[in-house]
Amino acid sequence: MMWIWGSTAFPFTTAREEALWRDETWRLELLVSGMDPTILNWVSEGKYIFLYGGDDIEWIRKFTNNARAMATAARIPLEMAAIATINVEKLSYCWQDTSLIWYFWTRLESMLFSKIQLKRADDQDPIMLQIKKLLSYDKDGSWALLCRGSQILTSGHGSTMLQTPIDFDLWKEHIPSRGFDLSFKDYHDKLHVAANNCCRFEFPIAAGRIPEGMRCPECHRLMEKYIAFLCCHDQTGLLEPY
């Protein structure tokens, strides 16, 4: 509760937690909270905002360039914020402090655990559904989320969110009748369904908060459970032979 709402969550009871969730909606402020005044200024100005990230610098480069080209062609005010350390190339506005990136994902995971604890892990909860989608996109690599002011229009895997601005000429004809927002979302949704990407979540056993079951946020089927082993090669451990 502290990660998500800070002191607003006082007195940190289950009743308070449920009340806070009842007042919440899936919006950009929920994701960035007070972490970044620049993004919140863009929200207040009603601009289009791409929040995106990943560790593939080539994807980030292509996505940034194609998204900006699309915005110019569509004549929309677009800002971009990378949840990644890409400042070396000045591709777009980004979070230079790596602790902010860690905090972003920690808050999102806290939202997931909060919903699970309150028995809201089913996909009838629209916020829970979107939290699960965003967490699964990050585990799959690159991702992006498009907003207009506070409203989150759509989100997706890096492959489909890159292809949508690349294919702008294929769907721009719908903008006069449907508007940019729906035209972008409709085309991306078609790509997303066709891509049929897998979803996965990782829960460290040490955290002690592994749900008994999880439904896929895409197809809503019960997901298979696996046990994974991970080693990040602690340098001190590499000095001695096994």
Side-chain angles (χ1 to χ4, degrees), residues 132 135-141 198-202 217 223:
K132 288 164 68 175
L135 284 170
S136 71
Y137 298 156
D138 177 56
K139 297 302 180 187
D140 201 41
C198 295
C199 290
R200 65 188 179 98
F201 302 94
E202 296 174 2
M223 302 178 75

Side-chain angles (χ1 to χ4, degrees), residues 159-229:
S159 57
T160 54
M161 290 299 279
L162 169 60
Q163 196 61 43
T164 303
I166 287 177
D167 292 347
F168 177 69
D169 286 343
L170 300 180
W171 54 269
K172 66 180 182 182
E173 63 186 26
H174 302 293
I175 295 177
S177 59
R178 296 182 57 77
F180 177 85
D181 303 13
L182 275 178
S183 299
F184 183 101
K185 185 179 184 303
D186 288 348
Y187 189 82
H188 173 262
D189 287 351
K190 290 178 183 177
L191 294 179
H192 185 76
V193 171
N196 197 30
N197 291 305
C198 295
C199 290
R200 65 188 179 98
F201 302 94
E202 296 174 2
F203 297 93
I205 292 177
R209 296 184 288 184
I210 303 176
E212 286 299 313
M214 290 276 286
R215 287 196 177 272
C216 174
E218 303 289 354
C219 69
H220 310 300
R221 295 187 181 94
L222 282 172
M223 302 178 75
E224 297 179 10
K225 185 184 290 187
Y226 294 87
I227 295 176
F229 294 89

Side-chain angles (χ1 to χ4, degrees), residues 6-233:
S7 59
T8 306
F10 183 82
F12 310 107
T13 60
T14 299
R16 180 60 177 155
E17 190 172 14
E18 289 179 332
L20 287 167
W21 276 125
R22 277 196 300 271
D23 293 337
E24 274 296 356
T25 56
W26 183 241
R27 57 200 174 96
L28 187 53
E29 292 95 327
L30 175 63
L31 294 182
V32 300
S33 184
M35 289 186 286
D36 193 322
T38 299
I39 294 178
L40 295 180
N41 285 338
W42 295 342
V43 168
S44 65
E45 293 168 3
K47 292 185 176 181
Y48 286 90
I49 304 165
F50 264 125
L51 208 64
Y52 65 108
D55 52 12
D56 183 346
I57 188 64
E58 185 57 31
W59 178 89
I60 288 176
R61 187 181 294 116
K62 288 180 180 178
F63 178 74
T64 305
N65 292 335
N66 281 281
R68 292 197 186 285
M70 175 194 68
T72 300
R75 298 179 180 178
I76 60 169
L78 176 69
E79 300 289 352
M80 304 185 70
I83 313 302
T85 51
I86 62 164
N87 202 48
V88 64
E89 292 197 22
K90 308 290 185 184
L91 291 173
S92 79
Y93 177 78
C94 71
W95 288 353
Q96 299 180 48
D97 187 350
T98 54
S99 64
L100 275 180
I101 301 173
W102 172 86
Y103 185 41
F104 176 84
W105 293 112
T106 297
R107 287 188 70 253
L108 205 60
E109 289 170 354
S110 295
M111 293 177 200
L112 177 68
F113 288 131
S114 172
K115 290 285 188 179
I116 291 172
Q117 183 172 284
L118 294 174
K119 311 298 184 186
R120 301 290 190 272
D122 63 89
D123 294 320
Q124 300 305 312
D125 184 325
I127 295 181
M128 179 62 168
L129 187 67
Q130 297 302 326
I131 291 169
K132 288 164 68 175
K133 283 183 179 181
L134 196 51
L135 284 170
S136 71
Y137 298 156
D138 177 56
K139 297 302 180 187
D140 201 41
S142 304
W143 60 275
L145 180 145
L146 176 63
C147 310
R148 185 177 186 179
S150 178
Q151 181 187 7
I152 298 175
L153 301 176
T154 191
S155 61
H157 294 271
S159 57
T160 54
M161 290 299 279
L162 169 60
Q163 196 61 43
T164 303
I166 287 177
D167 292 347
F168 177 69
D169 286 343
L170 300 180
W171 54 269
K172 66 180 182 182
E173 63 186 26
H174 302 293
I175 295 177
S177 59
R178 296 182 57 77
F180 177 85
D181 303 13
L182 275 178
S183 299
F184 183 101
K185 185 179 184 303
D186 288 348
Y187 189 82
H188 173 262
D189 287 351
K190 290 178 183 177
L191 294 179
H192 185 76
V193 171
N196 197 30
N197 291 305
C198 295
C199 290
R200 65 188 179 98
F201 302 94
E202 296 174 2
F203 297 93
I205 292 177
R209 296 184 288 184
I210 303 176
E212 286 299 313
M214 290 276 286
R215 287 196 177 272
C216 174
E218 303 289 354
C219 69
H220 310 300
R221 295 187 181 94
L222 282 172
M223 302 178 75
E224 297 179 10
K225 185 184 290 187
Y226 294 87
I227 295 176
F229 294 89
L230 175 68
C231 178
C232 291
H233 317 304

